[in-house]
Amino acid sequence: MFDERVIQNKTERQYRSGVSYRNERRYLGGVSIPFSTIYVNETIHGALPLSKPPITLGYRVKGQLYEGEDISPLEERSRCDTLLRCVVSVDPPLVSFTGQSQLNILKASGESTAIRSAATKFYKSLSTQIQEGNIQLCASDMNARSVLVSRFLFPQAPPPEILTSAAMPESDAIQSMVRYVSLIPFMDDWSTFGGENNDVWCTSKEFLELGCGDWEEHAILLCNFFNYYDQLKRTGYESYIVLGRGLPEGDTVYTLRMDPSRGSVGSEVTLWNASTGRGYTAKDKHCPLISIDQIVNSENIWINKQQPSSSPYQMTFDLDDLKSFRPFFTIKHPKPDTINSVNQMDIVHVPPNARLMEDMERELQETLKNEFKAWRQENEKGMKTYTRFDQNVSMALKPLLESFEAAKLKMDGFSEDTHRDLWSNHSRLTTLAATKHIHGVPINVAFTDLKELSLTLKSTHVHENENENVRFALAVKVFAYSNNIFSVWVYAISIENR
């Protein structure tokens, strides 16, 4: 999404009679929907949150906040979301997608015959309406063996650089764990394992070794991190994974964190899309998780009976309420003592690779500058063009990117005002903004490959500036985390005389 502006070419007036103008597009944000998501769901219809840069010079997000109102950072961020209402489909329609059925998974070897038999009986006893939801009592592992989904949950310690000190505020500890998990690249099972019927659930160890995963891997790892922290700090909170339907992905898996003693109150329940790092309170009507079908922890699986009121803001989360939830394990049929987690308590985290981080940063800086020049040359359709980079401004932007990354690790670090304050704290940049016309946006991605990063930068159209005196600044900063996870920031701006 862009704001198109018409700009007068003042420098040309001294050479030509009349006035000429040019159009410039200012990047505001975007929505990315994988084709596989459209294929599986056939049609996507709803309000999708726009993915926006932390700060866009010359623009300000208009939130729905009221003076004196005390709301959480999650609620504040949700109110500042820009929602894009759209319908996305394929015309003509493709062959309908048919995923692997739950009954077929329950027939596969892996779990004991007793558990698979009990799960099959339990599943068949559910109403047709509930069966049509996102219900998975067992999932397929990497060896195509059936595994009870509760066995994937077990408290696991996050990397040591995430929980930096014992005195770290709880909200920042939660956000740091969310941030780390969201930086693990997302890749659906189609791309990872091939074949349209593959829905593979990996252990946390397999997930980190692969270096990518989809909704369930991200949700499970974050849930296990949360439970480790909450048990260590004795906060009283407990985390679960929830299976349901979300926008735009369709069938999805989120992480739920709540105090079970107060779980019936929506404001005490938070829902996290672990693959994007976005969190919502359960009472938020704009939460992209539009329905919850199943809730899971390490001890049990609960089927949501609150139909059709299965949207989080309409639900109770009291798992002991048998009118609202149906448990798989009961007093009459308890969980067998022989069922153990497929995840290990201790994950051997590979330390951050500082040398690789520095090499990557230098290579990305040089490559993106060359790409930037090539894009500008393409726009000139064969005519020679010159791209000038201001190295001093580029260097001044790097400390700003360090501040942006630090802000991402704090619960209140998503505020636009926070990022504007970070900009104003750099005197050189403040002076530049006061004396020049500046446009540009910082982008942040979990590094997967150079091509993806290059396309993301190109989509901002910062390079499309026809002013003959324009200069550019381009800064790249890479941050390394354990298990070869990298956060990459790129800040590209155009600079014109006033």
Side-chain angles (χ1 to χ4, degrees), residues 257-315:
R257 182 174 181 261
M258 68 178 179
D259 182 341
S261 65
R262 297 180 292 176
S264 61
V265 183
S267 61
E268 301 294 338
V269 179
T270 52
L271 295 158
W272 296 90
N273 184 332
S275 61
T276 65
R278 284 299 307 269
Y280 304 85
T281 63
K283 67 179 183 180
D284 187 348
K285 292 184 179 181
H286 294 302
C287 176
L289 184 64
I290 56 179
S291 66
I292 291 177
D293 299 315
Q294 176 178 321
I295 299 179
V296 185
N297 71 0
S298 61
E299 298 300 318
N300 213 339
I301 301 168
W302 292 268
I303 304 300
N304 184 16
K305 296 166 58 180
Q306 300 169 72
Q307 304 289 344
S309 302
S310 58
S311 296
Y313 72 91
Q314 297 176 308
M315 287 176 49

Side-chain angles (χ1 to χ4, degrees), residues 356-370 447 450 453 476 478:
L356 179 59
M357 175 188 72
E358 294 169 357
D359 292 343
M360 183 186 298
E361 187 174 304
R362 283 193 296 269
E363 182 178 347
L364 290 177
Q365 177 86 36
E366 191 61 32
T367 303
L368 290 178
K369 282 179 65 175
N370 292 333
F447 184 76
L450 178 58
L453 178 60
V476 177
V478 179

